[in-house]
């Protein structure tokens, strides 16, 4: 019986019997030893195999009373642990840093700081005094659309909020907090809603598929598609329909900004103050990742909001200030 079990272990070690499912082998006391590809490292597997085989023989010879076997098995386990640590240490430092300690990110940061200080030694001193951005940017969380970079702006020049598919939802307290802060405390001049082609959220809205909990969010884009169903259904090419819905979604989110009380209050005050233009001015942009170009959508907000003034205006002094 002992020889047969040890032979099973030797075949496993030789690689002739390593099935996809875990292999369980019982010892003389009915305990199971489990072996699979992911459990034992290739560089230390033979130590563990030998220890288990020796443990089985000792237990058979001593009637199950073999403390030395347990000591040997524990030693083999410790040896496996040391071997695993050594193998980890042998990995190239760049790989360990990137996936474990973020040392590459920290090194990039230090290089960036040095570069900024070389160009302007007082840059971080000014940055530490506070922010006065002119722009509030609402964009998609897609990693290909970094707000500062695509607009050619530096730190402190744009206040940013990002979410899936650049939505302005009346129940999104994170977005509303950023909007209120940008208007009332930062006093921004411009609010930008920026979508992008090849948007995963917009593609999800065009698919007849349940995406799980995020459906409650994607439903806001489906509502945009419903409002413009006639136009979208007339587009036969799927990619062209997607790109048009990206644009229509940006337009609808811009209109949602006009509905917010903070926006209306600030624009009314700006109009009464006789500012050069009514602030904050709302813009709709679309970024194309395939070419890197920002496209400004030709939106006539006056034509879109005039018919709805009686519905969405929140103040008694109804003045057309778009």
């Amino acid at each position: 019986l002992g020889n047969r079990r040890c032979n099973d272990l030797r075949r496993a070690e030789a690689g002739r019997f390593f099935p996809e499912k875990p292999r369980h082998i019982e010892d003389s006391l009915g305990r199971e030893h489990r072996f699979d590809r992911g459990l034992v490292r290739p560089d230390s597997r033979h130590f563990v195999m030998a220890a288990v085989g020796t443990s089985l023989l000792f237990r058979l010879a001593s009637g199950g009373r073999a403390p030395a076997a347990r000591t040997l098995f524990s030693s083999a386990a410790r040896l496996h642990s040391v071997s695993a640590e050594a193998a980890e240490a042998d990995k190239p430092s760049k790989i360990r840093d990137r996936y474990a300690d973020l040392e590459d990110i920290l090194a990039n940061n230090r290089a960036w700081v040095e570069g900024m200080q070389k160009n302007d030694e007082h840059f971080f001193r000014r940055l530490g005094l506070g922010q006065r951005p002119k722009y509030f940017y609402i964009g998609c969380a897609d990693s290909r659309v970094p707000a500062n970079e695509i607009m050619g702006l530096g730190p402190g020049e744009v206040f940013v909020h990002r979410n899936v598919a650049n939505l302005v939802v009346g129940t999104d307290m994170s977005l509303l907090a950023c909007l209120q802060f940008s208007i009332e405390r930062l006093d921004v001049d411009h609010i930008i809603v920026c979508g992008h082609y090849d948007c995963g959220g917009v593609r999800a809205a065009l698919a007849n598929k349940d995406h799980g909990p995020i459906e409650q969010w994607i439903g806001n884009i489906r509502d945009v598609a419903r409002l413009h169903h006639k136009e979208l259904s007339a587009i036969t090419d799927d990619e062209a329909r997607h790109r048009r819905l990206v644009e229509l979604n940006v337009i609808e989110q811009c209109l949602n900004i006009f509905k917010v009380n903070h926006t209306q209050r600030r624009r009314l005050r700006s109009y009464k103050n006789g500012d050069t233009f009514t602030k904050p001015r709302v813009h709709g942009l679309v970024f194309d990742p395939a070419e890197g170009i920002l496209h400004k959508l030709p939106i006539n907000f006056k034509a879109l909001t005039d018919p709805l003034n009686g519905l969405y205006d929140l103040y008694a002094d109804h003045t057309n200030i778009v």
Side-chain angles (χ1 to χ4, degrees):
L1 180 62
N3 289 338
R4 178 170 60 81
R5 287 171 176 161
C6 289
N7 287 337
D8 284 343
L9 293 172
R10 284 195 293 270
R11 283 195 297 272
E13 169 59 16
R16 291 190 291 270
F17 185 73
F18 251 91
E20 291 299 321
K21 294 183 178 179
R23 173 69 168 168
H24 293 78
I25 301 176
E26 290 186 358
D27 62 17
S28 59
L29 298 181
R31 301 175 184 175
E32 285 191 336
H33 298 278
R34 180 177 181 272
F35 301 94
D36 58 22
R37 297 181 189 273
L39 188 64
V40 183
R41 293 181 58 84
D43 54 356
S44 60
R45 186 184 296 125
H46 59 285
F47 293 109
V48 180
M49 294 294 185
V52 173
T54 305
S55 174
L56 292 173
L57 291 176
F58 268 108
R59 289 183 182 280
L60 289 171
S62 62
R65 296 181 299 276
R70 290 193 296 272
T71 302
L72 183 59
F73 189 83
S74 298
S75 299
R78 287 195 299 271
L79 182 59
H80 166 257
S81 176
V82 172
S83 177
E85 292 175 1
E88 183 69 19
D90 286 341
K91 289 182 179 180
S93 60
K94 291 183 178 179
I95 295 178
R96 292 203 313 275
D97 292 344
R98 176 175 299 174
Y99 296 108
D101 301 323
L102 297 181
E103 283 301 320
D104 57 335
I105 300 297
L106 298 178
N108 291 343
N109 170 255
R110 289 189 289 271
W112 172 73
V113 170
E114 292 176 3
M116 296 299 290
Q117 290 178 330
K118 185 178 297 184
N119 293 330
D120 182 356
E121 62 178 343
H122 302 297
F123 174 79
F124 290 106
R125 184 181 302 173
R126 291 196 306 273
L127 198 63
L129 295 177
Q131 58 172 332
R132 288 302 302 271
K134 296 180 180 179
Y135 309 95
F136 175 38
Y137 173 99
I138 301 171
C140 183
D142 193 296
S143 62
R144 299 169 295 174
V145 196
N148 291 67
E149 284 84 347
I150 65 175
M151 295 192 294
L153 299 175
E157 295 186 287
V158 56
F159 190 62
V160 178
H161 175 86
R162 299 171 71 179
N163 59 43
V164 174
N166 44 272
L167 298 183
V168 178
V169 181
T171 56
D172 181 358
M173 293 307 299
S174 177
L175 176 280
L176 293 177
C178 290
L179 181 61
Q180 180 178 352
F181 186 78
S182 69
I183 292 174
E184 296 186 354
R185 297 300 298 273
L186 299 179
D187 198 24
V188 296
D189 294 337
H190 303 272
I191 297 178
I192 297 169
V193 178
C194 184
H196 68 96
Y197 299 123
D198 192 32
C199 177
V202 174
R203 290 196 187 280
L206 287 171
N208 296 114
K209 179 181 177 181
D210 183 354
H211 298 90
I214 198 176
E215 273 300 324
Q216 305 305 315
W217 187 261
I218 299 299
N220 294 289
I221 313 173
R222 296 188 196 277
D223 288 341
V224 174
R226 173 178 54 81
L227 291 173
H228 301 275
H229 175 71
K230 184 175 181 180
E231 177 183 352
L232 292 171
S233 61
I235 303 174
T236 57
D237 180 74
D238 290 342
E239 187 59 25
R241 187 184 307 113
H242 158 77
R243 292 172 72 91
R244 183 53 182 159
L245 182 54
V246 167
E247 297 167 352
L248 292 171
N249 182 53
V250 168
I251 295 172
E252 290 297 331
Q253 306 316 313
C254 288
L255 292 177
N256 287 340
I257 291 175
F258 284 108
K259 301 175 187 177
V260 179
N261 57 341
H262 307 295
T263 307
Q264 293 189 24
R265 187 164 56 244
R266 175 67 181 90
R267 287 175 59 81
L268 184 59
R269 185 170 71 251
S270 175
Y271 175 79
K272 290 181 175 181
N273 290 342
D275 293 341
T276 305
F277 59 89
T278 304
K279 303 174 183 179
R281 176 165 286 186
V282 181
H283 310 268
L285 306 179
V286 174
F287 177 72
D288 190 343
E291 61 180 21
I293 301 298
L294 272 174
H295 302 273
K296 185 173 182 180
L297 299 178
I299 310 172
N300 187 342
F301 287 120
K302 179 175 170 51
L304 293 172
T305 59
D306 269 358
L308 305 175
N309 279 339
L311 180 62
Y312 288 110
D313 277 359
L314 302 179
Y315 299 94
D317 187 358
H318 295 292
T319 305
N320 192 330
I321 55 175
V322 175

